[in-house]
């Protein structure tokens, strides 16, 4: 999933090189086009994230390296792009690393919060909170099934 | 006052502000309208020089404030041509007015075998209070269906009415589609069958000449902030006999006359329904707003709105991947509220881009999910006009919409 996604430094540099907010928005949308896609089955109520103005789905799985694999979609191109950025931040991280990772300040460092409305920022916060809650449930279930789970 | 948009616009201080370094192009008037200097000054003056409690004091400040409030009640009764001043109740909003009616008239008059009729184009404020009440009492809610032109299927009304129908509660003008409903005819039909009628006048109050006696509705409700008044103030008009028959809703100060042998003797209308401290500043602001609004000819206001609507629809229809919901062409049966989507792009994305240019539109479900479901979408862009909008607003909006369309298609 993660091979084609840019790394954090790449997106940081690309943002800086955007000349204006229009280019930043278009870059976010472009990133959204690279999001790992959901299968038809994965557009389920379990994967649906309530509370956003657009529809958002996120699926999470634990891979053989104990990294969390993310897939997602939204009917809003900008939100899809923001989801992709979240997935990039969480890329190749384990459950504990994700829970302790301060993603909000990473978003701040990208310095495009000023281009996002308050409700959009709230939307991102809801998504991040929901990811963490769902991840915790995922880990509990995974532990029950797999006694070889290494934190 | 003469109808000169330039002069009118100068009376609105909000337009002196910059949004994201740009002039504000405000196209969300169906949500709320901005306030003229006169209303803002009146609020400021009231708090500075005239503020007091009302209905209770014997000192000059209080008597003056009370008189002012009651004079405004009288003014509003004349504005909508109510027969009696006491038929005007001050509430918080359209939403609170409908909740009041549901929880007093509704609770007292609806039984489990009854049914009420609303329409498929209602705002949630005219759906949810009835849903909540229906779960308590058990009555049925019947829906007048919408059609693809954004009109109600009026032929269906007679099929929905039976001997157990007690209420028709309907919007005068749709907050999503701009459709003007022929409510006078609907009320006539209801009258013949002794069915009570409630009209949601939130969008109509600043876009039509409202005459409640001519309409002959039993209830008419609207919000002050939609007619250039402050937020937190609404009006419930009800025919005197009906209001007198209704029990109070909220209990508190100012709504009982006496307690006699453990029996409460309610105040007369309107105060029976105005428990607690009223939003005096809101009432004062609304009074000034209505005076200001009445200084214009309603014909000029309507013609201006029609002109902008015609102009905008023509330009929108030239955009190849535009999808306009409801009436795509100009008609006198609609006002300047236009909902649309642009190709496959989500309304939120379009709205976000437009915001960066200082253009304020509304996106989302517009508190009218049944309308979204009818048109099979989860959200729409919506633009809506008021007295201070001009051709330049529309030109700039269209220019940026086309630009965004091209940007996103690359």
């Amino acid at each position: 999933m993660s091979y084609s996604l840019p790394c954090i430094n790449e997106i940081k540099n690309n943002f800086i090189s955007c000349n204006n907010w229009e280019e930043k928005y278009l870059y976010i949308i472009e990133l959204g086009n690279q999001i790992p896609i959901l299968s038809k089955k994965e557009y389920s109520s379990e994967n649906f994230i309530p509370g956003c103005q657009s529809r958002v789905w996120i699926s999470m799985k634990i891979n053989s390296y104990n990294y969390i694999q993310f897939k997602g979609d939204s009917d809003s191109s900008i939100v899809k792009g923001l989801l992709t950025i979240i997935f990039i931040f969480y890329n190749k991280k384990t459950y504990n690393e994700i829970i302790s990772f301060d993603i909000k300040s990473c978003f701040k460092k990208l310095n495009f919060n000023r281009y996002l409305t308050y409700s959009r920022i709230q939307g991102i916060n809801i998504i991040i909170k929901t990811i963490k809650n769902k991840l915790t449930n995922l880990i509990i279930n995974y532990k029950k099934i797999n006694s070889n789970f290494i934190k | 006052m003469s109808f000169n948009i330039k002069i009118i616009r100068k009376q609105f201080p909000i337009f002196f502000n910059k949004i994201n370094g740009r002039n504000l192009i405000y196209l969300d008037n169906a949500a709320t309208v901005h306030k003229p200097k006169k209303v803002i000054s009146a609020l400021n003056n009231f708090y500075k020089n005239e503020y007091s409690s009302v209905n209770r004091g014997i000192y000059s400040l209080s008597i003056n404030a009370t008189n002012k409030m009651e004079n405004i009640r009288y003014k509003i009764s004349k504005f909508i041509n109510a027969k009696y001043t006491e038929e005007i109740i001050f509430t918080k909003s359209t939403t609170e007015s409908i909740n009041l009616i549901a929880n007093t008239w509704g609770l007292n008059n609806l039984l489990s075998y009854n049914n009420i009729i609303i329409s498929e184009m209602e705002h949630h404020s005219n759906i949810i209070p009835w849903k909540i009440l229906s779960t308590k009492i058990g009555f049925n809610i019947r829906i007048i269906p919408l059609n693809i032109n954004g009109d109600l299927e009026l032929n269906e009304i007679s099929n929905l009415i039976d001997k157990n129908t007690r209420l028709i509660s309907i919007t005068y003008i749709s907050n999503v589609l701009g459709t003007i409903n022929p409510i006078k005819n609907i009320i006539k039909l209801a009258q013949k069958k002794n069915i009570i009628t409630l009209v949601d006048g939130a969008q109509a109050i600043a876009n039509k000449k409202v005459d409640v006696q001519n309409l002959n509705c039993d209830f008419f409700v609207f919000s002050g902030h939609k007619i250039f008044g402050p937020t937190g103030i609404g009006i419930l008009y009800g025919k005197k006999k009906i209001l007198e028959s209704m029990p109070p809703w909220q209990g508190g100060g100012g709504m009982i006359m006496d307690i006699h042998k453990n029996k409460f003797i309610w105040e007369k209308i309107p105060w029976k329904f105005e428990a607690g401290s009223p939003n005096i500043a809101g009432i004062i602001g609304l009074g000034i707003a209505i005076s200001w609004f009445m200084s214009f000819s309603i014909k000029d206001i309507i013609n201006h709105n029609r002109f902008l609507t015609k102009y905008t629809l023509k330009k929108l229809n030239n955009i190849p991947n535009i999808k306009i919901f409801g009436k795509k062409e100009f008609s006198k049966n609609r006002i300047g509220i236009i909902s649309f989507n642009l190709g496959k792009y989500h309304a939120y994305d379009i709205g976000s881009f437009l915001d960066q240019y200082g253009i304020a539109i509304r996106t989302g479900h517009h508190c009218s999910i049944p309308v979204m479901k009818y048109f099979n979408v989860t959200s729409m862009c919506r633009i809506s006009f008021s007295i201070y909008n001009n051709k330049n607003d529309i030109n700039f909006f269209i220019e940026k919409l086309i630009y965004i369309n091209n940007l996103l298609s690359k």
Side-chain angles (χ1 to χ4, degrees):
Chain A
M1 134 197 137
S2 55
Y3 313 115
S4 56
L5 280 177
C7 65
I8 294 172
N9 277 336
E10 202 178 321
I11 57 171
K12 265 190 198 156
N13 292 333
N14 285 337
F15 264 114
I16 292 168
S17 70
C18 288
N19 290 320
N20 52 44
W21 70 265
E22 266 176 28
E23 289 186 9
K24 288 189 204 285
Y25 264 38
L26 289 174
Y27 180 59
I28 294 171
I29 291 171
E30 193 189 304
L31 281 174
N33 292 332
Q34 299 176 55
I35 200 170
I37 329 168
L38 298 163
S39 67
K40 255 189 183 170
K41 250 198 285 181
E42 286 172 318
Y43 286 90
S44 61
S45 52
E46 254 174 28
N47 290 337
F48 182 75
I49 312 282
C52 310
Q53 202 189 99
S54 60
R55 290 181 300 175
V56 176
W57 297 265
I58 298 177
S59 95
M60 293 177 273
K61 282 201 175 93
I62 304 169
N63 74 6
S64 47
Y65 298 99
N66 289 320
Y67 295 148
I68 312 299
Q69 264 182 300
F70 291 92
K71 285 196 246 174
D73 196 9
S74 171
D75 53 2
S76 156
S77 305
I78 294 175
V79 173
K80 205 156 103 171
L82 294 172
L83 273 186
T84 310
I85 295 171
I86 293 173
F87 294 172
I88 291 170
F89 281 133
Y90 286 155
N91 190 24
K92 289 192 179 155
K93 284 190 167 65
T94 63
Y95 163 73
N96 274 344
E97 285 169 337
I98 289 173
I99 295 296
S100 56
F101 184 69
D102 186 0
I103 192 171
K104 283 185 192 175
S105 46
C106 284
F107 260 101
K108 275 195 184 141
K109 283 183 188 151
L110 283 177
N111 201 26
F112 65 84
N113 272 7
R114 52 195 279 253
Y115 305 110
L116 299 177
T117 59
Y118 175 76
S119 72
R120 184 82 82 178
I121 296 169
Q122 289 304 103
I124 296 174
N125 291 339
I126 289 171
I127 290 170
I128 292 167
K129 197 176 176 187
T130 311
I131 286 176
K132 288 185 177 172
N133 288 339
K134 287 192 170 203
L135 208 44
T136 305
N137 290 333
L138 184 71
I139 293 302
I140 291 170
N141 289 332
Y142 187 81
K143 267 183 174 178
K144 282 183 189 164
I145 299 164
N146 191 344
S147 54
N148 292 329
F149 175 71
I150 304 159
K151 275 194 181 174
Chain B
M1 216 189 286
S2 74
F3 203 79
N4 182 316
I5 305 294
K6 263 193 185 149
I7 294 174
I8 290 171
R9 206 171 163 106
K10 282 200 175 127
Q11 296 181 49
F12 289 83
I14 197 98
F15 293 115
F16 307 152
N17 294 304
K18 296 270 184 194
I19 306 295
N20 296 321
R22 296 187 177 251
N23 290 332
L24 170 62
I25 311 288
Y26 185 78
L27 297 173
D28 191 21
N29 297 286
T32 196
V33 295
H34 289 295
K35 314 306 161 195
K37 256 185 283 196
K38 272 202 165 137
V39 170
I40 301 169
S41 310
L43 287 167
N44 199 19
N45 176 62
F46 174 71
Y47 277 117
K48 232 169 126 175
N49 302 313
E50 298 174 339
Y51 180 78
S52 182
S53 69
V54 291
N55 297 334
R56 292 160 174 83
I58 59 148
Y59 48 92
S60 310
L61 264 182
S62 177
I63 291 169
N64 286 340
T66 307
N67 285 341
K68 227 175 177 159
M69 193 175 89
E70 293 304 329
N71 286 339
I72 289 168
R73 193 191 303 272
Y74 172 75
K75 186 192 290 189
I76 294 171
S77 75
K78 290 292 147 209
F79 178 58
I80 62 172
N81 197 29
K83 197 170 181 190
Y84 303 103
T85 311
E86 57 266 35
E87 290 175 326
I88 305 296
I89 317 277
F90 292 124
T91 63
K92 206 171 67 189
S93 58
T94 306
T95 301
E96 183 171 76
S97 301
I98 298 176
N99 276 277
L100 191 159
I101 296 166
N103 286 289
T104 56
W105 181 88
L107 201 59
N108 237 34
N109 288 279
L110 295 172
L111 297 165
S112 59
Y113 57 80
N114 287 139
N115 62 75
I116 71 164
I117 299 173
I118 64 173
S119 85
E120 199 170 4
M121 61 162 65
E122 297 307 313
H123 184 280
H124 292 170
S125 61
N126 198 22
I127 304 174
I128 297 167
W130 304 113
K131 281 266 183 215
I132 292 174
L133 194 66
S134 135
T135 57
K136 290 181 188 158
I137 296 176
F139 60 84
N140 203 244
I141 301 174
R142 296 177 177 179
I143 318 276
I144 308 168
L146 203 47
N147 68 28
I148 201 81
N149 295 321
D151 291 313
L152 294 177
E153 294 283 21
L154 299 164
N155 310 330
E156 285 298 313
I157 299 182
S158 5
N159 295 336
L160 296 171
I161 291 176
D162 66 22
K163 61 178 167 62
N164 294 316
T165 307
R166 297 300 317 277
L167 168 79
I168 297 180
S169 186
I170 193 159
T171 187
Y172 201 154
I173 296 178
S174 163
N175 71 303
V176 179
L177 306 165
T179 307
I180 304 172
N181 288 320
I183 53 159
K184 198 169 169 187
N185 294 343
I186 296 171
I187 291 164
K188 251 191 204 149
L189 180 64
Q191 289 282 328
K192 285 187 192 154
K193 311 269 180 176
N194 289 321
I195 297 170
I196 297 291
T197 48
L198 189 169
V199 178
D200 174 355
Q203 298 299 332
I205 195 66
N207 286 291
K208 285 211 90 54
K209 176 84 194 92
V210 173
D211 182 335
V212 292
Q213 288 190 76
N214 183 261
L215 289 175
N216 203 14
C217 51
D218 296 296
F219 297 109
F220 188 96
V221 299
F222 66 92
S223 299
H225 72 89
K226 301 247 198 244
I227 188 166
F228 307 99
T231 48
I233 184 73
I235 299 293
L236 188 171
Y237 157 82
K239 281 184 180 164
K240 189 171 173 180
K241 263 196 179 148
I242 299 179
L243 290 179
E244 282 171 344
S245 74
M246 282 154 55
W249 181 30
Q250 294 181 334
M255 43 73 72
I256 64 164
M257 221 187 279
D258 201 359
I259 302 174
H260 182 66
K261 289 184 185 174
N262 284 326
K263 199 178 173 192
F264 290 93
I265 299 160
W266 308 122
E267 256 292 1
K268 296 187 292 188
I269 58 162
W271 304 287
K272 180 170 63 168
F273 298 110
E274 294 179 358
S277 298
N279 179 1
I280 316 156
I283 294 166
I284 304 283
L286 178 58
I288 299 289
I290 285 177
S291 296
W292 181 85
F293 184 77
M294 285 169 77
S295 69
F296 302 104
S297 136
I298 190 73
K299 270 200 177 138
D300 284 341
I301 290 172
I302 291 173
N303 286 337
H304 172 66
N305 195 283
R306 281 180 178 166
F307 166 75
L308 289 176
T309 307
K310 207 174 187 175
Y311 187 74
T312 308
L313 283 169
K314 196 175 177 191
K315 293 213 169 243
L316 278 176
N317 278 315
N318 281 335
I319 301 173
N321 56 343
I322 200 85
K323 162 122 179 119
I324 297 173
F325 298 99
K327 297 183 201 329
K328 298 170 191 0
E329 307 293 338
F330 173 75
S331 143
K332 284 188 176 173
N333 293 336
R334 53 103 41 89
I335 65 162
I337 297 177
I338 305 171
S339 290
F340 65 92
N341 276 330
L342 193 61
K344 56 179 165 72
Y345 310 122
H346 195 275
Y348 202 11
D349 294 337
I350 303 296
S352 300
F353 271 92
L354 287 170
D355 174 52
Q356 294 294 331
Y357 299 117
I359 303 171
I361 74 163
R362 183 69 168 260
T363 64
H365 57 56
H366 310 291
C367 301
S368 203
I369 291 177
V371 175
M372 300 301 117
K373 285 197 188 286
Y374 176 82
F375 287 102
N376 205 23
V377 295
T378 55
S379 79
M380 295 178 183
C381 298
R382 182 187 73 182
I383 55 173
S384 46
F385 314 127
S386 184
I387 203 169
Y388 39 63
N389 291 119
N390 56 27
K391 232 168 123 176
N392 291 340
D393 289 345
I394 310 302
N395 289 337
F396 190 69
F397 159 70
I398 296 284
E399 179 195 316
K400 289 307 173 192
L401 195 64
I402 293 172
Y403 177 71
I404 292 162
N405 201 16
N406 292 335
L407 213 60
L408 291 174
S409 66
K410 284 191 183 139

